[in-house]
């Protein structure tokens, strides 16, 4: 449970700019309660995180877009001065081979750098993220504020559609009388999608949510054809959405 609370702490400590103060205050109060209540259960912690996940998801998505844009635009400007001469040479060769600054966050470029260079890279990337946050924070509270808030609103509209789909899935589960284990599968998938709102699972994917409805309708038809023989199927919605 401590690791889950730590995820909530991370979510709280990295809230994006211009998030309404009342949401942040409620999160801080809830986090303080979770950190000091020895009787709290894991389910209660997750429920609390999910409830705030719905609140902050549109803001986080918009903020991530600005961070990604800033990294492309000024990332090297911030990062290269942190590199030793040897690492700058290795990085230049990495770029000539088709690598990008975004690729550095994955493990794929490892073969392009020595162990010492990878350590230096990791230190530089951590510092870069802090500088990019400061850069983006200044942008979105200043000249970019109008565009940023518009993007938040667009993500909120997307989240409203996601909520409707998840409600539809819950209704499917609640009205499923022929295959109780199918109802359990649907509820588990809804929970997994909600975990994606708040760091408890991979990032929520809109296409994956939409595809899930047709998948479970098809799943019911499959079970009907099998005349009640139930074999649980684990569906990788994220792979399908990609």
């Amino acid at each position: 449970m401590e690791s889950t609370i730590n995820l909530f702490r991370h979510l709280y400590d990295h809230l994006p700019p211009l998030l309404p103060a009342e949401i942040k205050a409620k999160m801080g109060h809830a986090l303080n309660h979770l950190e000091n209540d020895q009787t709290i259960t894991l389910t209660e912690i997750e429920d609390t995180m999910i409830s705030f996940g719905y609140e902050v998801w549109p803001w986080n998505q918009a903020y991530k877009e600005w961070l990604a844009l800033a990294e492309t635009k000024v990332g090297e400007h911030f990062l290269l001065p942190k590199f030793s001469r040897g690492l700058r040479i290795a990085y230049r060769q990495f770029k000539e081979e088709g690598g990008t600054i975004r690729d550095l966050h994955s493990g794929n470029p490892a073969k392009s750098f020595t162990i010492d260079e990878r350590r230096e890279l990791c230190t530089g990337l951590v510092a870069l993220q802090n500088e990019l946050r400061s850069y983006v924070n200044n942008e979105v509270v200043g000249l970019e504020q109008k565009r940023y808030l518009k993007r938040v609103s667009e993500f909120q509209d997307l989240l409203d559609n996601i909520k409707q789909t998840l409600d539809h899935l819950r209704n499917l589960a609640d009205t499923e009388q022929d295959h109780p284990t199918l109802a359990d599968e649907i509820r588990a998938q809804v929970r997994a999608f909600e975990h994606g709102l708040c760091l408890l699972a991979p990032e929520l994917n809109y296409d994956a949510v939409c595809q899930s409805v047709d998948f479970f309708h098809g799943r019911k038809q499959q079970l009907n054809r099998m005349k009640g023989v139930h074999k649980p199927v684990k569906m990788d919605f994220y792979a399908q959405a990609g």
Side-chain angles (χ1 to χ4, degrees):
M1 290 193 297
E2 183 179 351
S3 61
T4 306
I5 293 176
N6 287 339
L7 286 174
F8 192 13
R9 164 62 67 181
H10 181 84
L11 187 69
Y12 177 74
D13 287 342
H14 293 83
L15 290 173
L18 303 181
L19 179 79
E22 59 269 23
I23 296 178
K24 185 172 183 178
K26 287 191 299 182
M27 285 187 72
H29 177 77
L31 179 59
N32 181 66
H33 173 72
L34 295 179
E35 290 178 329
N36 292 282
D37 187 348
Q38 301 301 315
T39 66
I40 203 78
T41 67
L42 178 60
T43 298
E44 288 171 330
I45 297 171
E46 291 181 352
D47 286 344
T48 301
M49 288 185 66
I50 288 170
S51 69
F52 285 110
Y54 278 107
E55 299 266 19
V56 304
W57 186 81
W59 297 86
N60 277 334
Q61 295 305 112
Y63 189 57
K64 286 176 183 177
E65 283 193 352
W66 254 258
L67 283 173
L69 289 170
E71 185 175 67
T72 299
K73 183 167 62 174
V74 298
E76 286 190 353
H77 171 77
F78 289 137
L79 188 59
L80 289 179
K82 298 174 175 51
F83 288 172
S84 64
R85 181 176 179 275
L87 182 54
R88 284 198 295 271
I89 293 173
Y91 177 70
R92 186 159 55 243
Q93 182 176 347
F94 169 71
K95 283 190 63 179
E96 290 173 356
E97 294 171 352
T100 67
I101 191 170
R102 171 55 48 184
D103 293 331
L104 295 177
H105 297 286
S106 70
N108 296 332
K111 64 181 183 299
S112 301
F113 302 96
T114 66
I115 293 177
D116 289 340
E117 287 170 346
R118 291 200 294 271
R119 292 196 189 100
E120 190 180 341
L121 264 177
C122 288
T123 301
L125 288 173
V126 170
L128 171 64
Q129 289 307 304
N130 292 331
E131 292 185 354
L132 285 178
R133 283 181 175 275
S134 296
Y135 176 86
V136 169
N137 290 354
N138 289 332
E139 277 197 331
V140 300
V141 300
L143 296 177
E144 291 288 297
Q145 181 174 149
K146 186 175 180 180
R147 285 205 316 128
Y148 171 67
L149 293 178
K150 181 176 183 293
R151 195 68 179 122
V152 171
S153 179
E154 290 169 349
F155 276 114
Q156 182 61 57
D157 291 341
L158 199 65
L159 182 59
D160 290 341
N161 292 335
I162 290 171
K163 287 180 182 178
Q164 290 179 9
T165 303
L166 296 184
D167 286 342
H168 179 58
L169 288 172
R170 290 189 187 94
N171 184 62
L172 286 179
D174 291 342
T175 57
E176 178 54 56
Q177 298 179 350
D178 298 327
H179 309 287
T181 49
L182 175 60
D184 292 340
E185 285 183 24
I186 296 172
R187 294 189 182 99
Q189 187 57 57
V190 169
R191 186 76 169 181
F193 284 141
E194 290 184 320
H195 281 182
L197 293 167
C198 54
L199 305 183
L200 292 172
E203 185 74 42
L204 181 71
N205 183 288
Y206 178 73
D207 291 335
V209 174
C210 294
Q211 290 177 6
S212 66
V213 175
D214 287 340
F215 170 76
F216 284 117
H217 279 302
R219 188 85 177 93
K220 180 176 175 63
Q221 293 172 4
Q222 178 191 37
L223 291 173
N224 288 339
R225 289 194 299 270
M226 295 171 66
K227 299 180 180 179
V229 177
H230 187 91
K231 295 181 180 179
V233 173
K234 183 174 179 59
M235 178 67 172
D236 188 348
F237 290 102
Y238 296 94
Q240 292 292 317

